[in-house]
């Protein structure tokens, strides 16, 4: 009977080094997959399509009885952030007292829907709301990505 028994001697230092290199290789492989995987290129293309506005502040002027003031619309890349009246003098505010309440009503609807469609306004603020809505639409058109 001749048995050929082989004894393998492993040094613990070599086993530890090998295990560390294997773990690093697996981590590198997972990192490469997430960085250059198939989902990366499609998500960047879809994020460009989501951006419907150029972020910034856009103005539109309103002239009423030789008084000029602006409607200021602030937008992010994907939503309308704020709508304000700018350069509204005290005399103009006194002559047109429905300007600020009408704008607040319109702005709250626009913030909630992020759309200028199907905006509702009361009959006593009809013309004021229409003037403000036209100015807001003009400012938003300046902000839109084409």
């Amino acid at each position: 009977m001749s048995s050929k028994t082989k004894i393998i001697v492993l040094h613990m230092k070599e086993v530890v080094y090998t295990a560390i290199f294997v773990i690093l290789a697996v981590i590198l492989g997972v990192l490469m997959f997430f960085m250059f995987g198939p989902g990366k290129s499609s998500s960047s293309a879809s994020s460009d399509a989501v951006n419907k506005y150029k972020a910034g502040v856009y103005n539109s002027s309103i002239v009423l009885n030789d008084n000029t003031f602006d409607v200021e619309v602030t937008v992010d890349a994907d939503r309308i952030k704020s709508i304000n009246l700018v350069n509204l003098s005290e005399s103009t505010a006194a002559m047109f007292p429905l300007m600020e309440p009408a704008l607040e009503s319109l702005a709250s609807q626009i913030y909630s829907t992020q759309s200028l469609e199907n905006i509702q306004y009361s009959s006593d603020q009809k013309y004021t709301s229409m003037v403000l809505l036209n100015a807001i639409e003009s400012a938003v058109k300046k902000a839109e990505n084409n």
Side-chain angles (χ1 to χ4, degrees):
M1 283 212 258
S2 82
S3 73
K4 296 185 178 183
T5 306
K6 293 184 181 180
I7 298 176
I8 300 175
V9 177
L10 297 174
H11 295 279
M12 191 59 148
K13 189 187 323 183
E14 293 174 358
V15 172
V16 170
Y17 288 154
T18 304
I20 289 173
F21 285 130
V22 168
I23 291 171
L24 287 175
V26 169
I27 290 172
L28 182 64
V30 169
L31 183 65
M32 295 292 281
F33 176 76
F34 283 116
M35 286 179 61
F36 303 110
K40 187 66 175 178
S41 63
S42 64
S43 67
S44 65
S46 65
S47 69
D48 291 339
V50 172
N51 296 341
K52 57 184 178 178
Y53 301 118
K54 290 181 276 188
V57 178
Y58 299 91
N59 292 323
S60 180
S61 295
I62 297 175
V63 178
L64 296 173
N65 293 344
D66 297 329
N67 296 314
T68 302
F69 57 95
D70 296 329
V71 173
E72 180 180 85
V73 179
T74 305
V75 295
D76 275 348
D78 59 344
R79 66 185 194 93
I80 299 171
K81 287 179 55 176
S82 69
I83 302 170
N84 299 313
L85 291 175
V86 181
N87 301 328
L88 182 65
S89 66
E90 290 181 21
S91 62
T92 306
M95 287 191 316
F96 302 102
L98 295 178
M99 278 294 169
E100 291 174 340
L103 182 68
E104 289 174 9
S105 173
L106 293 174
S108 66
Q109 292 180 52
I110 292 170
Y111 298 152
S112 64
T113 62
Q114 289 298 313
S115 172
L116 299 175
E117 302 294 322
N118 301 324
I119 300 295
Q120 298 176 359
Y121 39 82
S122 64
S123 61
D124 62 337
Q125 298 177 346
K126 179 179 180 181
Y127 297 109
T128 305
S129 297
M130 288 173 49
V131 167
L132 289 171
L133 196 56
N134 287 337
I136 293 168
E137 286 177 2
S138 174
V140 169
K141 283 182 183 177
K142 294 176 186 177
E144 289 178 345
N145 279 333
N146 294 328

